[in-house]
Amino acid sequence: MFRSGLSRFSRFRGRRARFEHGPQDGAGLDTRLNALCDEARAMGLNTPQALLEYLDARGLDTALPRLTNCLTALSRAEGPLAPDQFGADLPLDSLDLLERAVGDRLAIPDFAHFCHRVSGFFSYARDNRRGQIADYIPELAHQDEDGFGLALCSIDGQRFNLGEAQTGFCLQSVVKPLNYALALALNGESLVHTHVGREPSGRRFNELALDPDGRPHNPMINAGAIMCAALIRPAQSVEARAELVRRFVLSAAGGAGCTLDEAVYRSELETAARNRSLVNMMDEHDAFPPGTDTKAALDLYFRTCALTLDCDALSVVAAMLANGGVCPVTGHRVIDPGIVRHTLSLMLTCGMYDYSGEFAFTVGLPAKSGVSGGLMIVIPGVGGFGLWSPRLDRQGNSVRGVEFCQRLIEDYPFHIFAGVASE
Ligand code: GLU
């Protein structure tokens, strides 16, 4: 089983992400559609229904916006499989995806087997009832401590989920990589890193500490994330800035619901002493850009931590990062590839609190956890997972989340350095 997992994925090591596509070329399209139907028929997929079942078994269905129109057209078609059954104006991007599916070149090959294995890791992790729910933000203590959801999205938009994958939860620190990416997009690397470092702190996420240059150590801890918030359109109102971030998260998640959890936001405002201390410390060391409204920066930080997604949507965010910044669900570019690279580098080195070094060593994947029990796991060039389970270990990571990652990496060569050790 282990070997087969390895060999099925080894050909995908070092693969490049899928990028946006240009306008379709009519003549080429007809030829390719004919070839697609020939290939499908050669595999015994003689009817539109047989092709739909084949795609469904590979995690592709009408819920994927890139395929909705053509799969709906196919579902209404009758008779033997033919090029005119794929609907009018089939986008090139959808045709590419269908070709990869029929040619067995999807990001996750043998999807049914992979999902079966993932279900096993999920069950294993579910049996783990260790850890404590975070209660220092009073509203978080109301979470269902036994809740557990998991969702997968590949860079081809193959989807699968388990448990409470459609239960919304507040992102907390899981939003930090996105705030950092947005701050980079708006200000550029040089300005952002004048004000925030890129070194693991080796301290608690809310420690009152700055680096030797008087900056927060990195954007994945509270001080650094408050700094990133300060750099997001500082001239605008907090409401407008929060809406900008919400829309950014929404596009990263492929348009699935992202709302502000007002109760969590209020709860954080009322218990903000430590985060206010971080702001005062940074102020004292002139860490903020001149003229920063630090109260507004902290307010924006809280609002972004209180944004909610479910595991399904979070897996799309992870897959967008795995895909170099193009959302695999919509096909839209959300983040430039250079910014994705910076973001993933910091998730790898700093994304798992004081367990980041250990996690990079043992699991070897860029990830970000939050005190609500959320966890985003990126498998570059393959896809991503969104996970939620609120019981935390002493470092603040979801106990089941870490357990799941460890099981996953035992069976699949996803560690970013797995390639150097494969025969
Ligand atoms: N809003 C939380 C805080 O500032 C985020 C903590 C976390 O998820 O690490 O304390």
Side-chain angles (χ1 to χ4, degrees):
M1 201 70 87
F2 174 79
R3 277 282 138 208
S4 76
L6 242 176
S7 59
R8 288 293 283 155
F9 277 93
S10 54
R11 64 189 162 112
F12 294 95
R13 300 301 316 172
R15 63 182 299 140
R16 294 193 66 82
R18 317 254 192 248
F19 294 109
E20 320 105 298
H21 299 283
Q24 63 183 49
D25 155 8
L29 195 75
D30 285 348
T31 314
R32 286 172 61 184
L33 257 179
N34 270 312
L36 177 75
C37 288
D38 287 347
E39 198 175 347
R41 283 191 294 263
M43 295 165 65
L45 306 171
N46 294 314
T47 62
Q49 286 65 37
L51 178 58
L52 287 170
E53 275 169 36
Y54 173 92
L55 294 171
D56 191 63
R58 280 148 190 82
L60 299 174
D61 59 30
T62 48
L64 186 65
R66 288 157 65 191
L67 291 182
T68 307
N69 288 347
C70 88
L71 297 193
T72 307
L74 276 174
S75 70
R76 293 188 183 130
E78 285 171 5
L81 187 66
D84 63 359
Q85 294 166 336
F86 289 75
D89 301 326
L90 179 68
L92 213 48
D93 172 44
S94 309
L95 178 57
D96 282 344
L97 185 52
L98 291 172
E99 286 174 344
R100 284 199 296 279
V102 170
D104 195 21
R105 296 188 310 275
L106 288 173
I108 299 183
D110 206 348
F111 193 65
H113 179 70
F114 184 70
C115 295
H116 173 72
R117 300 293 300 150
V118 164
S119 304
F121 311 145
F122 180 84
S123 303
Y124 190 93
R126 192 177 41 208
D127 289 343
N128 190 333
R129 296 204 156 69
R130 288 195 293 273
Q132 301 290 326
I133 200 159
D135 58 5
Y136 74 101
I137 299 168
E139 198 59 30
L140 287 183
H142 299 151
Q143 294 196 107
D144 170 12
E145 61 176 4
D146 213 31
F148 191 19
L150 177 75
L152 161 73
C153 179
S154 82
I155 63 166
D156 280 321
Q158 298 162 277
R159 313 282 297 266
F160 173 66
N161 67 28
L162 290 162
E164 287 153 80
Q166 274 146 15
T167 299
F169 57 91
C170 60
L171 292 172
Q172 293 299 330
S173 280
V174 178
V175 82
K176 287 174 178 162
L178 293 173
N179 283 347
Y180 169 61
L182 185 56
L184 280 179
L186 293 171
N187 302 283
E189 181 184 336
S190 160
L191 179 68
V192 170
H193 285 295
T194 301
H195 295 284
V196 57
R198 41 201 186 209
E199 195 67 22
S201 69
R203 315 269 184 93
R204 295 286 296 166
F205 68 97
N206 58 5
E207 186 96 7
L208 287 160
L210 294 175
D211 74 9
D213 296 321
R215 302 170 301 180
H217 286 84
N218 65 69
M220 303 295 146
I221 54 172
N222 285 16
I226 295 168
M227 184 59 75
C228 288
L231 291 165
I232 293 173
R233 295 260 161 89
Q236 296 187 354
S237 69
V238 180
E239 290 76 15
R241 297 161 75 186
E243 181 57 12
L244 177 73
V245 177
R246 193 189 69 81
R247 284 176 183 275
F248 181 61
V249 174
L250 198 61
S251 62
C258 172
T259 52
L260 175 83
D261 186 327
E262 281 282 346
V264 170
Y265 165 60
R266 301 264 157 233
S267 192
E268 288 213 62
L269 271 183
E270 282 155 20
T271 53
R274 169 52 68 112
N275 285 314
R276 276 200 198 97
S277 302
L278 291 172
V279 168
N280 291 338
M281 173 192 64
M282 290 193 281
D283 218 3
E284 184 195 346
H285 287 83
D286 291 326
F288 288 105
T292 295
D293 178 345
T294 55
K295 200 160 167 264
L298 186 58
D299 192 347
L300 177 59
Y301 166 73
F302 287 142
R303 288 175 196 248
T304 62
C305 289
L307 289 175
T308 62
L309 286 179
D310 61 18
C311 292
D312 274 341
L314 187 58
S315 72
V316 177
V317 179
M320 178 276 295
L321 292 170
N323 196 32
V326 174
C327 175
V329 165
T330 60
H332 298 154
R333 175 165 292 289
V334 180
I335 309 179
D336 285 343
I339 293 180
V340 172
R341 183 169 133 168
H342 292 336
T343 307
L344 292 178
S345 299
L346 291 180
M347 287 170 68
L348 181 69
T349 52
C350 313
M352 298 292 286
Y353 302 114
D354 299 341
Y355 191 69
S356 297
E358 197 62 40
F359 193 83
F361 188 93
T362 53
V363 175
L365 289 174
K368 186 71 198 89
S369 57
V371 290
S372 52
L375 176 60
M376 166 165 75
I377 307 149
V378 179
I379 310 169
V382 176
F385 288 100
L387 183 149
W388 169 72
S389 177
R391 284 204 208 91
L392 308 179
D393 60 22
R394 84 191 146 80
Q395 282 94 1
N397 296 310
S398 166
V399 170
R400 286 167 168 165
V402 171
E403 180 94 60
F404 172 79
C405 292
Q406 286 167 342
R407 295 280 84 79
L408 176 75
I409 226 69
E410 272 175 22
D411 267 27
Y412 288 95
F414 291 150
H415 190 297
I416 56 164
F417 301 126
V420 299
S422 64
E423 300 123 52

